Amino acid sequence: MAISTVSICNRALDLLGADPITSLEDGSKAANLCQRNFEPSADSVLRLYPWNAALRRARLPALSEAPAWGYLYQYQLPQGPEPAFCLRLLEIDNGSDYRVEGRRILADYAAPLDILYIGRVTDTATFDPLLAEAVAAKLAVHLAGNLTESGSRIDAARGYLRDILGQAKAIDAQEGGAASLVVDAWLQARG
């Protein structure tokens, strides 16, 4: 079965014990909440971990305006439509002395600047099954307060998300990535 936005939303609803939806426009409370919360949930999960489906490479030209101080050059982070929009910078080729400020990279490296980053992914058909499951768990956390009065369901969804991210890290290490896992503050606070 192909991974779709609706299938991910229904997985989130399953985690909460809520009724499934037929589409994001079916008019139900659950569909409206899924429609409103899907993209922020997906972006958040993509930013947490360097999923293969979201890895992008770019060669950036230097901006004409130099930083006020501290670095020689600045570069605009990719901000076009999918897949170009940068959610998180992972690496600068052959460099470690840089800083991200707003939507710009400050560095002493001359152009072009080769980067590896996490890009926004809106085509859910390209999601890895673990990525889809992680988005469903994050979405369940967002939906839980509106669809259930059970605090234990929210905690269960958070715990499940932690488990999925741990599995992703282990599998990534087997595929040669062994990248560091960054977990946002709300997830750590619930640990």
Side-chain angles (χ1 to χ4, degrees), residues 57-152:
R57 294 174 188 268
R59 179 164 281 165
L60 306 177
L63 296 172
S64 59
E65 177 187 344
W69 58 273
Y71 291 95
L72 298 174
Y73 305 98
Q74 64 180 332
Y75 301 85
Q76 183 70 50
L77 283 169
Q79 56 187 12
E82 184 211 327
F85 187 84
C86 177
L87 292 171
R88 181 174 143 211
L89 179 64
L90 296 174
E91 169 183 329
I92 289 179
D93 189 33
N94 295 322
S96 61
D97 184 23
Y98 64 89
R99 182 173 186 84
V100 175
E101 292 182 358
R103 299 286 309 155
R104 295 190 175 180
I105 303 167
L106 307 180
D108 287 332
Y109 309 111
L113 187 68
D114 293 334
I115 67 168
L116 177 66
Y117 68 97
I118 297 172
R120 176 174 284 144
V121 180
T122 57
D123 181 3
T124 56
T126 66
F127 278 20
D128 172 279
L130 284 175
L131 171 56
E133 200 65 15
V135 172
K138 179 74 170 188
L139 185 59
V141 171
H142 286 294
L143 302 180
N146 286 303
L147 294 178
T148 181
E149 296 180 16
S150 171
S152 63

Side-chain angles (χ1 to χ4, degrees), residues 9-14 16-22 26 28-31 34 143 147:
C9 290
N10 280 332
R11 181 68 182 125
L13 294 169
D14 287 348
L16 297 174
D19 292 333
I21 60 173
T22 56
D26 76 9
S28 66
K29 180 179 181 179
C34 285
L143 302 180
L147 294 178

Side-chain angles (χ1 to χ4, degrees), residues 167-182:
Q167 290 174 34
K169 184 176 181 181
I171 288 171
D172 185 68
Q174 294 170 11
E175 292 178 339
S180 64
L181 181 65
V182 177

Side-chain angles (χ1 to χ4, degrees), residues 5-6 21-35:
T5 302
V6 171
I21 60 173
T22 56
S23 78
L24 293 178
E25 294 83 25
D26 76 9
S28 66
K29 180 179 181 179
N32 292 338
L33 288 167
C34 285
Q35 187 173 48

